[in-house]
Amino acid sequence: MTLYGRTALLDAVVPSLVGLQSGGAARLRIPGGSPLLIVCGGGRLTGKTALLKDLSDRYAQRLPQAYADLGAADFGRPGLASVADETTANASGTSDLLFYLMDGLSQKPNEFGGKLSFPRLTQGLLAVTSWQSVAVQPAELPAARRRLAGLLRESQPDLQERNQRVAGWIRQVTPAAAAGLGPGVGELVAPLTDIVTTELFGPRANKHGLSWWAERRVGPQGDGHSQLTDLAMRFRGDGGDRRRAEHHLVAALLEDIADHYTWLRLKNRVPRPLLLLDNVHTPLGRAVLDTLTRVWHDEPARTRPGIVATALAEEPAVPGSADTAPSTRSAAGPFWRQDRPQTAADWVLRLPLARLDLDEVAEMFGADRPEPGTAHVIHRLSAGRAGVADALVQAARRRIRLHEPVEHGALLDLPIELPAPEDGPTLPVYERLLRLLTPDGETRERLAYYTPALDDAAAHVLNAGYAPRHPGGEPVEGAAVVPVAGTRSLLRQECWDHRPWPGTDGPFVGHPTLRALLVHDLRTRTGRAVEAEEWTGSHERLRILYPTDAAEPHDARYLHHSLAIGDTDLVVRALLRRLAGQDAPGWLAALNLICAAPHPPGNAAEPATDPRTAGGDPVRQAVELLVLNLWLQSHPLAHPDQQKINSIRLQLLTLAQNSAVGPQKVFYQAYEEWPQLLNRWLQAPDLPNYGESRT
């Protein structure tokens, strides 16, 4: 997926962390102090993983790097075994991750001087993973320690064989260098130095590693082998002991990286490694990030890698700019600390991923020219989520390249090509998006079933008739009904922000993008039509929850569900009675909530009665035309229709002309402002009501 709105992170933040331009060869001066750990947050399909993949591509073959998806059982590497759980005696998710990161960072990039080696981490991981799985008797401790020492010695190549290999390489290189007696000598020195350094200093690095472990004081006393023995035994202890052992292992990783950066390499501005950690909001991700920050905080500051992570997080309350972070104005920028913060958590800088703006969505079409307003519809429907917008754009582009029109009302039903054949058959884009946003089929079915509800009480009413289904669609006999509270909790966990509508604490599914997709799913299920009786029955059950006393106007929530089943005549009569209360702000708030009603399956809503038969009453005609046109303009796929907007403007003026002084002022303000907002793609229920609202 093409990335948009991530300029600062790609071109300022990460280059500052690793000391290398993202799109050039220039090495940057690394400021003193320690870099912050960058965590980019956003909802599902906001481009978090694509951001890390883009960073990986930008720095491929230029510096050591490793990517790991902490939400995947195989770290995102197909063919890798599942990560160990906490019940495994000699492995954990963190130790498996360290093996995986060490393997990635050990691969020498073509444009990077030298190769990272990890003697300390290798020794620590060998100790915890190779230690016998059963408990050790006190009498067996000396023998177990000797076995560990032998294992560490065996992990090092034979010194004599090593020296023979180096001598052979030198003999092969010397004639070539002598034959050149010129520039060729210089070209051979650097790779020869790397070979000799790697081969000759292997045992030395092993010795230094053991010295480092001896100074760690994992246990109260003893040499490096004794400390590693204590590390292995602590790893098999309770949760606290294992976390402390993992702390030592992460410290070993950072120390090995720092050890590579000698004074000369630092002076030459050799770039730092880059660790890319996806989905750190998961249980393993939280544990890893917590350990990293504690090590960052507790260990002496040395040369440290750049770390960029992503996490599921709530979207910013207000759409951000194209950048995800402030621009850098100093050499250090806001991404480094010269001092030691008060807490470990202060080492983390959380950057929300900015929502895409309209220009960025339009840019996704490239050279393809969509119908006017298509980019605007996609931008509003996606709420700026990069992954949602990208899928809709790709579906539309496919249609454009086939020289077929892209009708806004049919946008969600366009087929989308899947990345790989194993992903299954081609799906309509709305269904593909729902599978990505809510991967569990049962959860998806349940959310769609609850979507008409405006509050938790209404969801409980629907829940009484909910029957879980198999993936094929048939009911699951004897399946327990998942409580409404569990579904609400799931929405919070998935960071679907709740945006209350006027006059209600709901709707139950409050995010406009997820709600629009789920409503469309209810209206047009793949493989089976939604029966009109099912739709009507749900809304009829829901509307009776709200007051309908003949002495008072109908509750706006009652009228919302009435409009959803096309009962426009009832809605108009109730709104006419509300006008008598002279509460113009409350009336507009009710209209906002009512006209946000979903459209029933089938054709677009049509008037239940002809406004011309309203008995010559201009107010009734104005209310009816206002309801119908605003409802049609508030469909998630509707574009501003100038004829309908002009009608809305005229009807608001009619209401102003036929109102008392106080309400007249409010209706006249709506007459001036609502058409402008509708032309700017705003819809009910988000139009202003100019005062306190009530249902």
Side-chain angles (χ1 to χ4, degrees), residues 588-607:
L588 291 175
L591 183 67
N592 250 319
L593 176 60
I594 293 164
C595 290
H599 289 238
N603 298 326
E606 295 293 340

Side-chain angles (χ1 to χ4, degrees), residues 97-116:
L97 175 66
L98 291 172
F99 269 117
Y100 180 74
L101 295 179
M102 182 171 63
D103 177 71
L105 294 172
S106 297
Q107 309 303 313
K108 181 183 178 300
N110 292 338
E111 302 173 25
F112 184 78
K115 176 183 176 182
L116 297 181

Side-chain angles (χ1 to χ4, degrees), residues 207-406:
K207 180 180 178 182
H208 285 177
L210 287 173
S211 298
W212 184 83
W213 280 109
E215 296 171 358
R216 287 300 293 178
R217 296 304 178 203
V218 182
Q221 57 191 4
D223 59 9
H225 294 123
S226 296
Q227 299 301 321
L228 288 168
T229 298
D230 287 329
L231 179 76
M233 298 184 71
R234 186 179 292 277
F235 191 85
R236 284 153 179 76
D238 60 21
D241 281 336
R242 174 164 285 197
R243 283 191 294 273
R244 283 188 284 274
E246 291 171 343
H247 181 107
H248 289 295
L249 292 173
V250 172
L253 169 72
L254 297 183
E255 186 67 19
D256 283 332
I257 290 174
D259 201 43
H260 179 81
Y261 289 84
T262 60
W263 177 86
L264 184 61
R265 284 179 171 137
L266 291 174
K267 190 170 183 61
N268 288 331
R269 299 185 180 179
V270 174
R272 312 288 178 91
L274 180 61
L275 298 183
L276 304 170
L277 305 177
D278 207 356
N279 292 315
V280 297
H281 62 277
T282 59
L284 175 59
R286 290 195 298 270
V288 168
L289 185 62
D290 180 68
T291 303
L292 267 172
T293 54
R294 290 181 183 278
V295 172
W296 223 260
H297 189 67
D298 296 341
E299 301 293 325
R302 295 194 64 198
T303 304
R304 286 176 171 169
I307 295 182
V308 181
T310 64
L312 193 64
E314 292 184 5
E315 295 176 280
V318 178
S321 65
D323 289 342
T324 59
S327 59
T328 51
R329 294 190 178 182
S330 65
F335 322 117
W336 289 73
R337 288 200 68 133
Q338 316 304 318
D339 60 336
R340 185 175 182 271
Q342 293 294 320
T343 66
D346 292 331
W347 285 106
V348 177
L349 175 62
R350 298 188 180 273
L351 300 177
L353 292 182
R355 305 178 194 178
L356 304 188
D357 61 27
L358 176 60
D359 290 340
E360 291 162 342
V361 173
E363 184 184 341
M364 288 180 168
F365 281 95
D368 295 321
R369 295 188 177 276
E371 296 287 334
T374 302
H376 231 134
V377 170
I378 291 174
H379 178 252
R380 185 182 62 196
L381 184 64
S382 67
R385 291 198 176 211
V388 177
D390 181 73
L392 293 168
V393 166
Q394 296 311 316
R397 292 184 74 181
R398 181 174 182 270
R399 191 89 168 186
I400 293 169
R401 290 168 183 175
L402 294 173
H403 304 289
E404 297 176 354
V406 180

